mmCIF file of all heavy atoms in Angstrom:
data_model
loop_
_atom_site.group_PDB
_atom_site.id
_atom_site.type_symbol
_atom_site.label_atom_id
_atom_site.label_comp_id
_atom_site.label_asym_id
_atom_site.label_seq_id
_atom_site.Cartn_x
_atom_site.Cartn_y
_atom_site.Cartn_z
ATOM 1 N N MET A 1 33.058 -16.987 10.439
ATOM 2 C CA MET A 1 32.769 -17.729 9.251
ATOM 3 C C MET A 1 33.716 -17.335 8.139
ATOM 4 O O MET A 1 34.005 -16.127 8.007
ATOM 5 C CB MET A 1 31.310 -17.508 8.915
ATOM 6 C CG MET A 1 30.874 -18.217 7.618
ATOM 7 S SD MET A 1 29.109 -18.031 7.328
ATOM 8 C CE MET A 1 28.475 -19.374 8.295
ATOM 9 N N LYS A 3 35.106 -16.183 4.666
ATOM 10 C CA LYS A 3 34.500 -15.283 3.636
ATOM 11 C C LYS A 3 33.828 -16.118 2.538
ATOM 12 O O LYS A 3 32.760 -15.786 2.039
ATOM 13 C CB LYS A 3 35.590 -14.327 3.065
ATOM 14 C CG LYS A 3 35.012 -13.075 2.400
ATOM 15 C CD LYS A 3 36.086 -12.061 2.122
ATOM 16 C CE LYS A 3 35.658 -10.913 1.269
ATOM 17 N NZ LYS A 3 34.571 -10.144 1.862
ATOM 18 N N VAL A 11 21.891 -5.206 -3.050
ATOM 19 C CA VAL A 11 20.826 -4.380 -2.505
ATOM 20 C C VAL A 11 20.440 -3.403 -3.511
ATOM 21 O O VAL A 11 21.253 -2.680 -4.029
ATOM 22 C CB VAL A 11 21.206 -3.752 -1.103
ATOM 23 C CG1 VAL A 11 20.051 -2.988 -0.544
ATOM 24 C CG2 VAL A 11 21.695 -4.815 -0.113
ATOM 25 N N LEU A 24 23.623 -3.218 6.092
ATOM 26 C CA LEU A 24 25.099 -3.082 6.118
ATOM 27 C C LEU A 24 25.620 -3.255 7.583
ATOM 28 O O LEU A 24 26.549 -4.116 7.846
ATOM 29 C CB LEU A 24 25.500 -1.673 5.736
ATOM 30 C CG LEU A 24 25.539 -1.393 4.265
ATOM 31 C CD1 LEU A 24 25.657 0.148 3.977
ATOM 32 C CD2 LEU A 24 26.649 -2.111 3.556
ATOM 33 N N ILE A 49 23.481 5.724 -2.183
ATOM 34 C CA ILE A 49 24.772 5.514 -2.860
ATOM 35 C C ILE A 49 25.962 5.947 -1.937
ATOM 36 O O ILE A 49 26.967 5.229 -1.885
ATOM 37 C CB ILE A 49 24.780 6.257 -4.253
ATOM 38 C CG1 ILE A 49 23.728 5.692 -5.142
ATOM 39 C CG2 ILE A 49 26.153 6.194 -4.889
ATOM 40 C CD1 ILE A 49 23.559 6.393 -6.456
ATOM 41 N N ARG A 65 15.101 5.488 -16.504
ATOM 42 C CA ARG A 65 14.669 6.391 -17.587
ATOM 43 C C ARG A 65 15.532 6.235 -18.884
ATOM 44 O O ARG A 65 15.166 6.652 -19.939
ATOM 45 C CB ARG A 65 14.730 7.809 -17.064
ATOM 46 C CG ARG A 65 13.758 8.123 -16.000
ATOM 47 C CD ARG A 65 13.980 9.443 -15.295
ATOM 48 N NE ARG A 65 15.263 9.424 -14.631
ATOM 49 C CZ ARG A 65 15.710 10.380 -13.716
ATOM 50 N NH1 ARG A 65 14.908 11.460 -13.539
ATOM 51 N NH2 ARG A 65 16.867 10.311 -13.220
ATOM 52 N N ALA A 68 14.118 1.510 -22.619
ATOM 53 C CA ALA A 68 12.882 1.726 -23.393
ATOM 54 C C ALA A 68 11.687 1.106 -22.707
ATOM 55 O O ALA A 68 10.532 1.495 -22.925
ATOM 56 C CB ALA A 68 12.995 1.115 -24.817
ATOM 57 N N GLU A 71 10.873 -4.045 -18.926
ATOM 58 C CA GLU A 71 11.524 -5.312 -19.194
ATOM 59 C C GLU A 71 13.058 -5.103 -19.481
ATOM 60 O O GLU A 71 13.865 -5.823 -18.956
ATOM 61 C CB GLU A 71 10.856 -5.939 -20.427
ATOM 62 C CG GLU A 71 11.466 -7.234 -20.928
ATOM 63 C CD GLU A 71 11.058 -8.424 -19.981
ATOM 64 O OE1 GLU A 71 10.053 -8.372 -19.293
ATOM 65 O OE2 GLU A 71 11.867 -9.414 -19.950
ATOM 66 N N ILE A 77 19.342 -5.011 -15.008
ATOM 67 C CA ILE A 77 19.659 -5.302 -13.613
ATOM 68 C C ILE A 77 20.032 -6.786 -13.400
ATOM 69 O O ILE A 77 21.059 -7.098 -12.768
ATOM 70 C CB ILE A 77 18.407 -4.995 -12.739
ATOM 71 C CG1 ILE A 77 18.287 -3.477 -12.556
ATOM 72 C CG2 ILE A 77 18.529 -5.661 -11.337
ATOM 73 C CD1 ILE A 77 17.135 -3.024 -11.690
ATOM 74 N N ILE A 110 14.956 -13.377 -3.410
ATOM 75 C CA ILE A 110 14.831 -11.895 -3.430
ATOM 76 C C ILE A 110 13.851 -11.515 -2.308
ATOM 77 O O ILE A 110 12.745 -12.055 -2.184
ATOM 78 C CB ILE A 110 14.362 -11.390 -4.738
ATOM 79 C CG1 ILE A 110 15.155 -11.849 -5.924
ATOM 80 C CG2 ILE A 110 14.295 -9.828 -4.703
ATOM 81 C CD1 ILE A 110 14.749 -11.380 -7.285
ATOM 82 N N GLY A 122 -1.080 -2.883 0.205
ATOM 83 C CA GLY A 122 0.033 -3.164 -0.692
ATOM 84 C C GLY A 122 -0.511 -3.106 -2.191
ATOM 85 O O GLY A 122 -1.655 -2.886 -2.410
ATOM 86 N N MET A 129 5.013 7.246 1.492
ATOM 87 C CA MET A 129 4.072 8.022 2.355
ATOM 88 C C MET A 129 2.574 7.638 2.007
ATOM 89 O O MET A 129 1.683 7.720 2.825
ATOM 90 C CB MET A 129 4.314 9.472 2.226
ATOM 91 C CG MET A 129 4.053 10.237 3.463
ATOM 92 S SD MET A 129 4.687 9.539 4.996
ATOM 93 C CE MET A 129 6.403 10.072 4.936
ATOM 94 N N TYR A 142 -3.862 -0.719 13.979
ATOM 95 C CA TYR A 142 -2.446 -1.249 13.885
ATOM 96 C C TYR A 142 -1.951 -1.185 12.454
ATOM 97 O O TYR A 142 -2.675 -1.346 11.502
ATOM 98 C CB TYR A 142 -2.457 -2.659 14.466
ATOM 99 C CG TYR A 142 -2.705 -2.793 15.901
ATOM 100 C CD1 TYR A 142 -4.028 -2.985 16.382
ATOM 101 C CD2 TYR A 142 -1.664 -2.666 16.759
ATOM 102 C CE1 TYR A 142 -4.274 -3.039 17.724
ATOM 103 C CE2 TYR A 142 -1.937 -2.707 18.198
ATOM 104 C CZ TYR A 142 -3.193 -2.897 18.629
ATOM 105 O OH TYR A 142 -3.433 -2.945 19.986
ATOM 106 N N SER A 143 -0.660 -0.915 12.383
ATOM 107 C CA SER A 143 -0.002 -1.089 11.108
ATOM 108 C C SER A 143 1.352 -1.831 11.361
ATOM 109 O O SER A 143 1.395 -2.509 12.436
ATOM 110 C CB SER A 143 0.320 0.252 10.444
ATOM 111 O OG SER A 143 0.716 0.067 9.083
ATOM 112 N N VAL A 147 8.405 -8.111 5.579
ATOM 113 C CA VAL A 147 9.453 -8.546 4.655
ATOM 114 C C VAL A 147 8.909 -9.799 3.968
ATOM 115 O O VAL A 147 8.469 -10.709 4.616
ATOM 116 C CB VAL A 147 10.772 -8.898 5.357
ATOM 117 C CG1 VAL A 147 11.832 -9.295 4.298
ATOM 118 C CG2 VAL A 147 11.281 -7.667 6.148
ATOM 119 N N THR A 172 0.271 11.431 12.343
ATOM 120 C CA THR A 172 0.266 11.924 10.961
ATOM 121 C C THR A 172 0.975 10.845 10.115
ATOM 122 O O THR A 172 1.613 9.888 10.624
ATOM 123 C CB THR A 172 1.164 13.209 10.829
ATOM 124 O OG1 THR A 172 2.512 12.830 11.169
ATOM 125 C CG2 THR A 172 0.659 14.288 11.862
ATOM 126 N N GLN A 174 3.624 11.066 8.653
ATOM 127 C CA GLN A 174 5.133 11.064 8.930
ATOM 128 C C GLN A 174 5.387 10.418 10.306
ATOM 129 O O GLN A 174 6.312 9.569 10.419
ATOM 130 C CB GLN A 174 5.659 12.463 8.973
ATOM 131 C CG GLN A 174 7.153 12.505 9.119
ATOM 132 C CD GLN A 174 7.903 11.816 7.982
ATOM 133 O OE1 GLN A 174 7.720 12.154 6.808
ATOM 134 N NE2 GLN A 174 8.717 10.781 8.318
ATOM 135 N N ARG A 179 7.577 5.471 12.969
ATOM 136 C CA ARG A 179 7.431 4.311 13.898
ATOM 137 C C ARG A 179 7.610 3.050 13.106
ATOM 138 O O ARG A 179 8.273 2.129 13.569
ATOM 139 C CB ARG A 179 6.055 4.354 14.569
ATOM 140 C CG ARG A 179 5.864 3.362 15.705
ATOM 141 C CD ARG A 179 4.514 3.523 16.459
ATOM 142 N NE ARG A 179 4.344 4.946 16.763
ATOM 143 C CZ ARG A 179 3.254 5.661 16.302
ATOM 144 N NH1 ARG A 179 2.371 5.125 15.518
ATOM 145 N NH2 ARG A 179 3.154 6.938 16.669
ATOM 146 N N ARG A 186 14.650 -3.422 12.069
ATOM 147 C CA ARG A 186 14.876 -4.597 12.910
ATOM 148 C C ARG A 186 14.542 -5.826 12.145
ATOM 149 O O ARG A 186 15.343 -6.805 12.190
ATOM 150 C CB ARG A 186 13.985 -4.501 14.146
ATOM 151 C CG ARG A 186 14.617 -4.158 15.407
ATOM 152 C CD ARG A 186 13.865 -4.575 16.638
ATOM 153 N NE ARG A 186 12.440 -4.465 16.628
ATOM 154 C CZ ARG A 186 11.775 -3.278 16.908
ATOM 155 N NH1 ARG A 186 12.507 -2.226 17.217
ATOM 156 N NH2 ARG A 186 10.504 -3.221 16.898
ATOM 157 N N LEU A 199 17.084 -21.100 6.315
ATOM 158 C CA LEU A 199 16.166 -21.595 7.331
ATOM 159 C C LEU A 199 14.703 -21.408 6.963
ATOM 160 O O LEU A 199 13.804 -21.669 7.739
ATOM 161 C CB LEU A 199 16.423 -20.863 8.714
ATOM 162 C CG LEU A 199 17.736 -21.213 9.390
ATOM 163 C CD1 LEU A 199 17.954 -20.410 10.627
ATOM 164 C CD2 LEU A 199 17.715 -22.747 9.775
ATOM 165 N N ILE A 200 14.478 -20.877 5.738
ATOM 166 C CA ILE A 200 13.109 -20.561 5.306
ATOM 167 C C ILE A 200 12.635 -21.688 4.345
ATOM 168 O O ILE A 200 13.239 -21.916 3.323
ATOM 169 C CB ILE A 200 13.039 -19.190 4.610
ATOM 170 C CG1 ILE A 200 13.443 -18.060 5.597
ATOM 171 C CG2 ILE A 200 11.620 -18.966 4.102
ATOM 172 C CD1 ILE A 200 13.614 -16.742 4.925
ATOM 173 N N GLY A 204 3.686 -22.574 -0.750
ATOM 174 C CA GLY A 204 2.610 -21.746 -1.332
ATOM 175 C C GLY A 204 2.947 -20.288 -0.876
ATOM 176 O O GLY A 204 4.013 -19.744 -1.057
ATOM 177 N N ASN A 214 19.621 -26.822 5.151
ATOM 178 C CA ASN A 214 19.818 -28.028 4.229
ATOM 179 C C ASN A 214 21.131 -28.758 4.506
ATOM 180 O O ASN A 214 22.128 -28.102 4.755
ATOM 181 C CB ASN A 214 19.833 -27.504 2.792
ATOM 182 C CG ASN A 214 18.463 -27.009 2.444
ATOM 183 O OD1 ASN A 214 17.499 -27.424 3.023
ATOM 184 N ND2 ASN A 214 18.411 -25.973 1.600
#
Side-chain angles (χ1 to χ4, degrees):
M1 178 174 272
K3 198 168 172 61
V11 182
L24 282 170
I49 294 174
R65 293 166 299 189
E71 177 76 24
I77 287 185
I110 305 178
M129 214 44 84
Y142 291 92
S143 190
V147 181
T172 63
Q174 188 59 59
R179 190 173 310 120
R186 256 203 317 278
L199 291 174
I200 297 171
N214 294 331

